[in-house]
Amino acid sequence: SQQGEEDPQALSIQEGENATMNCSYKTSINNLQWYRQNSGRGLVHLILIRSNEREKHSGRLRVTLDTSKKSSSLLITASRAADTASYFCATDPFNFGNEKLTFGTGTRLTIIP
Amino acid sequence: GAGVSQSPRYKVAKRGQDVALRCDPISGHVSLFWYQQALGQGPEFLTYFQNEAQLDKSGLPSDRFFAERPEGSVSTLKIQRTQQEDSAVYLCASSLQVFDQPQHFGDGTRLSIL
């Protein structure tokens, strides 16, 4: 079963605009990770935020984490056509020694040139 | 260096046949994971190895699914007596067995059962 839900399920924006995706999850976590998946390909790791962190940046990506609300958001600034992909959040459970990830349902992002 | 390699990329089998899917993890990665991804969904955990030890197989849907990693490197996911509901993309990932490390995914095997 999926741990989390991403919102929205699909998002279309103009190139250059910012894209925001949200993720909610259910159980305590060690960390939360965001992955990108291009059509027909595997997942690519984007950013990892630990449970004791509130915000993290990597290039054009900004991730926030609110453990009290069990939610996270991913912001992509100045979007490009190459950002078109599905984005998934994944949680690493608070269970040291078992690193399996539980993925959300994904947000399908389309950047319109 | 080379990433995670999966083969075959596509597999078509008739219902009832057995299939074997291979995963070559990144060299030196202790942890290896198998996930199943249905169309339009996120990946769902199947099983997890630390070296050759299968530490968690709680996600395997039935006893028709079997995974092994005999030498702690290459892994094989075997599905016996395939059913149509087994049609999905099977993803393999590997990671360093260090706290808070990302997983590195292969491009998957797309399995279609006719």
Side-chain angles (χ1 to χ4, degrees), chain B residues 30-65:
Chain B
V30 170
S31 299
L32 185 145
F33 306 82
W34 285 98
Y35 294 88
Q36 180 189 60
Q37 187 175 24
L39 189 64
Q41 298 293 314
E44 294 214 8
F45 170 79
L46 294 177
T47 187
Y48 159 54
F49 290 85
Q50 192 177 117
N51 293 306
E52 68 278 5
Q54 190 174 19
L55 298 187
D56 187 341
K57 54 182 181 179
S58 62
L60 296 176
S62 75
D63 59 8
R64 297 186 296 104
F65 286 71

Side-chain angles (χ1 to χ4, degrees), chain A residues 1-2 30-31 33 35 37 40-45 48 50 88 92 96-101 103-105, chain B residues 9 33 35 37 40-45 48 50 55-56 58 91 97 99-103 105-107 110:
Chain A
S1 61
Q2 310 279 182
N30 277 329
N31 64 62
Q33 304 176 33
Y35 287 81
Q37 186 176 36
R41 304 298 301 273
L43 283 79
V44 174
H45 180 261
L48 181 153
R50 295 182 174 83
F88 295 92
D92 185 347
F96 184 72
N98 187 341
E99 316 299 324
K100 71 182 182 184
L101 295 176
F103 286 85
T105 50
Chain B
R9 285 281 283 127
F33 306 82
Y35 294 88
Q37 187 175 24
Q41 298 293 314
E44 294 214 8
F45 170 79
Y48 159 54
Q50 192 177 117
L55 298 187
D56 187 341
S58 62
L91 295 166
Q97 183 54 30
F99 198 59
D100 282 350
Q101 288 297 306
Q103 295 184 14
F105 283 79
D107 283 338
R110 181 176 296 278

Side-chain angles (χ1 to χ4, degrees), chain A residues 14 16 38 79 87 108:
Chain A
Q14 295 288 331
N38 290 90
S79 62
Y87 291 80
R108 191 169 63 254

